[in-house]
Amino acid sequence: MKTVKSFARSFRWAFHGVAYALSTQRNMRFHFAAAALAVVFSLILDIGPLETLWVLLAIVMTIAAELWNTTTEKMVDLSMPRPHPLAKAAKDTAAAAVLAAAVFAVAVCIIVFGSALLNRVMDSGAALASKFALYMVLALLAGAVVYVLFARAYKSGYTMNDQKGESNMSAGELKAEELLEHAREAGKRAYAPYSNFWVGAALLDVHGRIHYGCNVENSAYGPTNCAERTALFRAIADGVKAGGFRAIAVMGETEEPITPCGICRQVMAELCPPDMPVILGNAKGNMRTTTVSELLPGAFRMTKEDQL
């Protein structure tokens, strides 16, 4: 039973991947529309099994190449947020793979549909037109189904449930539990020889990148830095602007879900949106969700008058 659930879960993640690509990548929507047209023409022209296989191969190759291109772009953005010649080369090469697949698909369509069309020139115009109208309606219906199942499945942001203290991201995004797992991994890197108390943080920015933080202690105590601030300062150093964050998860070895210290709350109030979800957890798997403004109501902010 566990194997079946794991198998079904892997399909769900794949579904989320397609939903993400359809919702965020204009080229992917174009490829799906072109694939629908190719299927329509295949039905209208009544091509043979071998020709159908060639058309399906062209469709799968193009969509797979676009998915790989999207994966490459996100991985490069995650690992190298600043412009770099190698990052550009990686993205350009992935885009070239899409171009090669698209050229192959166009060639297949010209050869297959061109030959089939020549063989159907003797068909009456009315019969051909009625076929075209019928299959176009079917294609539009199929497109609507795809839109509902995939494109609408992906929505940006977290959905909150304050009564249950839970938070999860919609389809195609990291769930709260997954972001906490990233925080757990970050906590394993903590430098805490004096307290032996590790804390990890995972900060999600508006571009979908995760910035990691852990507590780093010091024998003088004062220079010690918490995991939340480590993640925030690291993200700012990597080029993320203040306010450009979507959520942060914090994990520690506490009885109840860990809570940030006062200094970290003030730093979050300075750099993060007030309604940004803050996901708090512990090593036992307990979790609760709050927001930046709930952690520090009435946070101090320096005004221009204060600066003068």
Side-chain angles (χ1 to χ4, degrees), residues 12-28:
R12 187 167 70 250
W13 299 144
F15 179 90
H16 288 173
V18 176
Y20 177 85
L22 273 172
S23 300
T24 61
Q25 306 299 313
R26 180 183 58 186
N27 287 345
M28 180 59 77

Side-chain angles (χ1 to χ4, degrees), residues 166-245:
E166 298 175 351
S167 171
N168 64 303
M169 298 193 76
S170 56
E173 292 282 345
L174 278 175
K175 291 185 177 180
E177 294 84 354
E178 293 175 305
L179 199 58
L180 273 175
E181 282 303 312
H182 284 283
R184 184 196 299 272
E185 290 300 314
K188 294 178 181 179
R189 308 167 195 166
Y191 177 74
Y194 308 107
S195 68
N196 293 317
F197 179 74
W198 65 265
V199 181
L203 177 66
L204 181 69
D205 68 23
V206 293
H207 303 293
R209 297 187 296 254
I210 298 176
H211 306 269
Y212 298 94
C214 60
N215 54 319
V216 180
E217 295 183 346
N218 190 280
S219 56
Y221 287 176
T224 295
N225 206 52
C226 297
E228 300 93 320
R229 280 178 282 153
T230 300
L232 283 162
F233 296 160
R234 180 179 181 179
I236 293 294
D238 283 339
V240 183
K241 302 296 183 183
F245 304 108

